[in-house]
Amino acid sequence: MTPGDERPVRVGPLMNGVEADVRSRIRLWLIERGGMVAYEDVEVFERVFAQLRRAVDDRNLDVLLLPELLSDDAEWALEPNLSFSSHRPIAGRVVLFAKRRLMMPLLRWLFEYSQVNFKRQHQLNRILLACIEELAVENARLRADMTALLNKLAR
């Protein structure tokens, strides 16, 4: 290639090749470590990978059906609340003071560490709910296709 010969670089095919190589390495890594036997079939692995990727990438994880079906958001959402209260009129003030001024500074590192883990778990829960929803949609489509096929054969 000479200095004046500049051609546009096509990144799409290169990236597709890199992504295919990464998927292949992931598949082999899973097989080597005793993962799903079905992953020995490249086509099965590619379908599973695409289904899970679609569940994670192609949707807003804040808009899912399953959490809407749950009666209360607090049942599945991990949001720890660190607040102190007491039902004791006088002794409660002393206990609350001790908790807020003495215990809280000592335990703050544990709370902050837990917060990170709770956020990570909440994100994982949302991804798993999205995967379940994606599988439910796929199952509904397959059932509709099967019903249409059976009706067509019955005629």
Side-chain angles (χ1 to χ4, degrees):
M1 199 170 168
T2 61
D5 185 25
E6 293 184 19
R7 288 179 269 158
V9 177
R10 303 271 185 239
V11 179
L14 176 64
M15 287 305 297
N16 290 340
V18 169
E19 289 172 357
D21 185 48
V22 168
R23 285 192 309 274
S24 176
R25 288 177 190 228
I26 290 171
R27 185 180 72 79
L28 292 174
W29 182 84
L30 291 169
I31 292 168
E32 288 171 1
R33 283 163 183 72
M36 294 284 284
V37 176
Y39 291 160
E40 290 179 8
D41 183 348
V42 176
E43 189 175 323
V44 169
F45 177 80
E46 289 294 330
R47 285 182 181 167
V48 171
F49 189 89
Q51 182 108 19
L52 294 176
R53 175 65 64 193
R54 208 171 33 252
V56 174
D57 289 346
D58 295 346
R59 66 174 55 238
N60 180 350
L61 294 177
D62 292 325
V63 184
L64 297 168
L65 178 61
L66 197 53
E68 293 298 322
L69 296 176
L70 295 174
S71 62
D72 188 10
D73 203 30
E75 289 182 12
W76 70 276
L78 295 172
E79 293 184 26
N81 185 6
L82 189 61
S83 62
F84 300 113
S85 63
S86 176
H87 63 281
R88 299 179 199 108
I90 297 173
R93 291 182 188 159
V94 174
V95 171
L96 288 177
F97 176 82
K99 286 181 179 179
R100 286 187 182 129
R101 302 292 181 200
L102 301 175
M103 295 300 293
M104 187 56 190
L106 294 174
L107 298 175
R108 182 163 301 283
W109 70 270
L110 179 61
F111 180 72
E112 289 172 357
Y113 173 77
S114 298
Q115 281 289 91
V116 170
N117 287 327
F118 281 129
K119 288 178 183 175
R120 188 177 301 132
Q121 183 65 52
H122 183 67
Q123 179 68 7
L124 180 62
N125 289 353
R126 290 171 36 188
I127 290 170
L128 290 174
L129 289 174
C131 290
I132 291 169
E133 188 170 313
E134 187 70 32
L135 291 172
V137 167
E138 187 70 21
N139 188 35
R141 286 181 181 149
L142 289 172
R143 284 183 183 270
D145 291 347
M146 186 177 71
T147 302
L149 183 61
L150 288 174
N151 289 339
K152 192 175 185 180
L153 290 174
R155 292 181 195 164

